[in-house]
Every structure is written in structure tokens, then in C-alpha cells.
């Protein structure tokens, strides 16, 4: 199977558009997570970049989260910790980027995909977006992405989301909770809304926007350690026979 891709296109106006894609519903195996964090770091440190848009390929699923194939291949705690640390790397890359990161979600998001949406500084969506944290249903838990979700939607909404692991919550729930900031009927209308949002920001003082970014993320400096401790919890739990069995069943569907 195609291993997927990550690419960055740079616009003359200073907008960097990072796109990831994978044939398995835009899931994120380790190599893609590694590439994604590198692209975010590179765009954030590029003096010509003023704003970053993070998006996935296609018109349906935004991101299916972790790769089931890789989860099933985990054989020890070290492997598990390294795999889940890939999501920690991406979230921390967004967190420390001096440039604001704007999310563009066109469809469903599961697990780590919801975490990506939560990590973005501002997120646009279509009415086809729906979010689900399925981790508890496979005997793991959304530990790595939990800090990003708690920060964005609060502990009550995060509890609702994480303890209903088979339920998709629609775009209007996500908007009400603050996970996303704009919902549009179609992809075309969402892209127009993103353009209308980004164009004025691209002309604003870069130093002011960087300072605002730091202000928005104040109090998260400990994530450089916390997220990797959380990754170790997920890595350990993914080794249980019951988790392996459930993952195998889901993979065959």
C-alpha cells in the first residue's frame, strides 16, 4: 500500500500550506508523523512564512488517527512509546511554532486526528466533520492528545468525548465546544472562509502575531515532557492481548 505523503506549498503572500495524505483514510503511520512534525518545524522557522494552514488530502476523511497496522506490530513498551511519541512530536511542533497554525478539516476525524484539530490555533470545518475518540473501545485511551483537547474544549467536553468511544459527535457539537471555530456547508465555502480569514492576518505585524501565539500557549511549556510520559502509557496498554484482539477485529472490517 502507498505509504502516504506530506508536502508543503509556499504561496507568495507568505502562506505555507502543509498537506498530508494516506490511502487508509488519511491515517498517520510513524513515518508520516515524523514528516509532518518536520514540515511544521520547517514552515514555522522559515522567515518567509507568515501563517500555516494544516490540511489533509481528499474530500472525505480528515484523519483516521493512528495506523492500525503499526499498532498491531508493537511488541514491547519501547516500540509503543516511540509510536505514540510521533503524535506528541506533531502537537509539540504546532505548539512551539512561532507561526499560527490554521486547521482545515473536511470530514471525519478519529483519535489522533481529533488531537491535530485541537492542537491547531484556529480550525475551520465543513458540516461533514464529525469527531470520535475510539481509544477506550480498544482498551487504550487518548492519553497523548488529552492535554491538547483539555486545553481547547475543557475537561467536561473531553470527558464526554472520551467516554463515548463509539459515538461520532457532529460539527455543531465541535463548534459549540470550541474544538473548531467555523463551520461551512461545503469544502468550497470553507476554503473561501479560510481565505477571508487568512488574507488580513498575512498583512499584520509578524512579531505581534508571534507574541500572540506565545500568549495563547502560555502554561504548556511542560508538554515537552508531559506528552511523552502520556505516550508511554498508551504504548504499554497497546501491548495487552485484549487490545491486540480488538485492533485486529477493527482492521479486518
Amino acid at each position: 500500500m502507498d505509504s502516504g505523503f506530506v508536502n508543503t506549498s509556499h504561496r507568495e503572500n507568505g502562506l505555507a500550506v502543509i498537506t498530508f495524505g494516506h490511502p487508509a483514510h488519511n491515517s498517520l503511520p510513524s513515518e508520516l508523523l515524523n514528516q509532518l512534525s518536520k514540515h511544521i518545524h520547517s514552515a514555522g522557522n522559515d522567515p518567509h512564512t507568515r501563517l500555516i494552514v494544516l490540511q489533509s488530502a481528499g474530500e472525505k476523511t480528515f484523519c483516521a488517527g493512528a495506523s492500525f497496522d503499526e499498532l498491531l506490530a508493537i511488541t514491547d513498551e519501547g516500540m509503543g512509546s516511540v509510536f505514540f511519541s510521533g503524535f506528541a512530536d506533531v502537537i509539540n511542533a504546532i505548539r512551539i511554532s512561532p507561526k499560527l497554525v490554521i486547521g482545515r478539516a473536511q470530514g471525519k476525524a478519529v483519535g489522533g486526528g481529533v488531537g491535530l484539530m485541537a492542537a491547531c490555533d484556529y480550525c475551520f470545518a465543513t458540516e461533514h466533520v464529525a469527531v470520535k475518540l475510539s481509544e477506550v473501545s480498544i482498551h487504550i485511551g487518548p492519553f497523548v492528545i488529552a492535554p491538547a483537547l483539555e486545553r481547547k474544549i475543557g475537561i467536561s467536553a473531553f470527558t464526554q468525548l472520551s467516554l463515548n468511544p463509539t459515538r461520532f459527535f457532529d460539527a455543531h457539537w465541535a463548534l459549540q465546544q470550541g474544538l473548531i471555530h467555523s463551520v461551512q456547508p461545503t469544502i468550497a465555502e470553507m476554503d473561501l472562509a479560510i481565505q477571508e480569514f487568512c488574507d488580513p492576518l498575512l498583512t499584520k505585524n509578524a512579531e505581534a502575531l508571534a507574541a500572540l501565539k506565545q500568549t495563547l500557549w502560555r502554561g504548556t511549556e511542560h508538554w515537552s515532557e508531559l506528552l511523552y510520559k502520556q505516550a508511554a502509557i498508551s504504548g504499554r496498554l497497546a501491548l495487552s492481548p485484549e487490545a491486540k484482539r480488538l485492533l485486529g477485529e477493527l482492521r479486518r472490517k
Side-chain angles (χ1 to χ4, degrees), residues 64-175:
S67 164
F68 280 7
D69 287 340
E70 286 200 38
L71 281 172
L72 283 166
I74 293 171
T75 58
D76 59 59
E77 290 188 21
M79 285 180 64
S81 181
V82 168
F83 173 73
F84 286 103
S85 290
F87 286 96
D89 290 341
V90 173
I91 293 172
N92 274 325
I94 294 172
R95 177 180 67 85
I96 68 174
S97 170
K99 312 298 166 57
L100 292 166
V101 177
I102 311 303
R104 174 190 180 274
Q106 76 278 32
K108 289 182 176 179
V110 179
V114 185
L116 289 187
M117 293 170 63
C120 290
D121 297 298
Y122 203 95
C123 192
F124 289 81
T126 72
E127 290 183 345
H128 299 290
V129 161
V131 297
K132 178 173 72 171
L133 295 184
S134 59
E135 288 86 348
V136 168
S137 65
I138 54 174
H139 291 217
I140 305 178
F143 300 108
V144 179
I145 62 175
L149 280 158
E150 290 173 16
R151 169 182 171 270
K152 186 62 67 70
I153 67 176
I155 191 66
S156 179
F158 173 63
T159 301
Q160 185 181 12
L161 195 58
S162 59
L163 295 184
N164 288 278
T166 63
R167 175 183 169 187
F168 274 104
F169 290 79
D170 66 21
H172 295 286
W173 180 91
L175 179 68

